[in-house]
Amino acid sequence: MTSTDICIPLADSRQIYRVEDVSRAQEESAPSRNEALASFYERMKALGGTRFVVKPSRSDSVDSLFERCPNFDEVIEDVKKSLALAVSGNEPVSFAPILLLGEPGIGKTHFARALADRLGTGFHFVSMSSLTAGWILSGASAQWNHSKPGKVAQALVGGEMANPLIVLDEVDKAGGDARYDPMGALYELFEHDTARRFRDEYVDVDIDASHILWVTTANDERNIPEPILNRMNVYSIPRPDAGESYAIASRLYRDIVGEHDWGFPDEPPPDVIERLAGMPPREQRRALLAAFGNAKLAGRDSVEVEDVDSFRAGRKRKIGF
């Protein structure tokens, strides 16, 4: 283990809501007799309004991402600058909302998960392509049947961290009409001053959401409103070049072998990695897992190129179903 592998984030605390505000809202909502809301208020009071915030102990804690996600080097460099400032001021990790822009399958969501792991902030995932209403993020009024808190309130109330990393995946594919715009809440949440007094419509209590670390992904920025784009740092993520793709496939092989006791060699066969390197990072994992299975079915403890080719042939046969 190298020195850069050792990263112990520090922890401080912040008040994200006031329990007395929760009690007041609970009293005001009592006539409606919404049992689910009453239960949520009781949970908020039991948990208290204080949450941890992660403070980085060193600015090079994300250096391993240069090897794991080499096509994200520009993003990583900027995150390192934010970490250096946080370390210098003994402050929580903080950076402007990030938009990862690029074609499908190049590892955008994987990078976000890996970044959260290195920062130690926790990770929450929201698929924006499946959303048709803004209340998914900011909650729906308790007056509606089957209403509940939005994803932001759920993450902050139910989680341990005041600064979790929340990924909004495929933000350019969010549906809905002007009345229930799924991205409507982002105008408030992406601005530090307004996010400090974020009010979920269901909870109806001020919540400090200003510490959240936002990472969004998209294939096409043209479907994102300009005011939202202006609130984010936009990075065009390229497809990994040949050398980067080879390095990603090699690392992926070692990670999977290290996680399981399957009996495969620690080091990957070069010809297998060459074949995997021709695929997008998302497809590499599926192909490699299938190749491990094909090798075992053939009675082997080593992966061969034919095991990868069987996966690719199987995908082609499924097209059109």
Side-chain angles (χ1 to χ4, degrees):
M1 180 178 291
T2 64
S3 59
T4 55
D5 291 326
I6 303 173
C7 174
I8 303 176
L10 307 175
D12 204 341
S13 62
R14 294 290 187 276
Q15 184 181 64
I16 63 167
Y17 60 83
R18 302 193 328 153
V19 171
E20 50 266 42
D21 290 344
V22 177
S23 297
R24 186 179 305 112
Q26 187 175 22
E27 292 174 3
E28 293 173 353
S29 68
S32 67
R33 296 183 180 178
N34 186 320
E35 295 300 327
L37 178 59
S39 177
F40 194 81
Y41 282 146
E42 288 297 332
R43 185 183 180 205
M44 291 180 73
K45 292 194 295 184
L47 292 171
T50 301
R51 298 294 180 273
F52 293 117
V53 287
V54 171
K55 297 164 63 175
S57 58
R58 49 195 298 174
S59 60
D60 61 357
S61 59
V62 295
D63 279 3
S64 63
L65 297 181
F66 285 112
E67 179 182 356
R68 296 185 63 183
C69 309
N71 50 325
F72 291 81
D73 57 346
E74 184 182 1
V75 191
I76 301 168
E77 287 287 359
D78 282 353
V79 170
K80 283 192 66 175
K81 295 172 187 175
S82 297
L83 291 177
L85 291 173
V87 171
S88 176
N90 191 29
E91 299 168 348
V93 57
S94 175
F95 48 75
I98 290 172
L99 171 60
L100 304 176
L101 191 63
E103 64 183 84
I106 60 173
K108 300 188 293 292
T109 304
H110 168 76
F111 169 77
R113 288 182 182 274
L115 177 60
D117 179 64
R118 295 307 300 165
L119 296 177
T121 58
F123 176 88
H124 297 269
F125 180 86
V126 181
S127 176
M128 296 293 286
S129 63
S130 65
L131 302 189
T132 57
W135 58 263
I136 298 294
L137 289 176
S138 58
S141 172
Q143 297 178 3
W144 295 93
N145 291 332
H146 308 298
S147 59
K148 59 182 180 180
K151 298 288 187 179
V152 173
Q154 291 180 42
L156 293 177
V157 173
E160 296 181 347
M161 300 297 178
N163 60 342
L165 190 148
I166 298 182
V167 174
L168 305 180
D169 193 47
E170 296 187 319
V171 70
D172 54 326
K173 295 182 174 61
D177 59 34
R179 294 173 300 165
Y180 307 108
D181 181 7
M183 287 192 282
L186 300 183
Y187 292 93
E188 179 181 0
L189 289 166
F190 281 3
E191 290 285 356
H192 185 271
D193 289 342
T194 53
R196 290 178 62 186
R197 297 180 63 85
F198 173 72
R199 183 163 287 227
D200 182 281
E201 289 192 38
Y202 181 84
V203 180
D204 199 26
V205 171
D206 284 347
I207 296 176
D208 185 356
S210 64
H211 302 290
I212 293 175
L213 305 175
W214 294 99
V215 176
T216 69
T217 76
N219 304 139
D220 188 346
E221 78 277 17
R222 290 175 295 182
N223 293 328
I224 303 174
E226 191 66 29
I228 297 294
L229 276 176
N230 290 338
R231 287 166 164 81
M232 298 188 286
N233 288 337
V234 181
Y235 300 89
S236 295
I237 308 301
R239 179 184 283 239
D241 61 29
E244 291 170 343
S245 190
Y246 188 97
I248 291 171
S250 299
R251 190 266 312 157
L252 187 58
Y253 175 97
R254 296 187 187 98
D255 284 353
I256 294 175
V257 167
E259 292 169 359
H260 302 278
D261 189 20
W262 291 341
F264 291 100
D266 293 337
E267 290 300 314
D271 56 345
V272 169
I273 300 303
E274 286 283 359
R275 190 60 54 91
L276 289 168
M279 305 178 187
R282 179 191 295 170
E283 191 172 323
Q284 286 181 8
R285 172 175 285 274
R286 297 200 302 268
L288 196 47
L289 288 171
F292 284 132
N294 289 333
K296 285 298 182 181
L297 287 175
R300 288 182 275 104
D301 289 335
S302 61
V303 178
E304 299 180 359
V305 171
E306 65 187 45
D307 299 320
V308 179
D309 290 341
S310 294
F311 166 80
R312 303 184 77 174
R315 288 188 72 248
K316 290 179 180 178
R317 286 196 297 271
K318 292 176 183 176
I319 292 177
F321 262 38

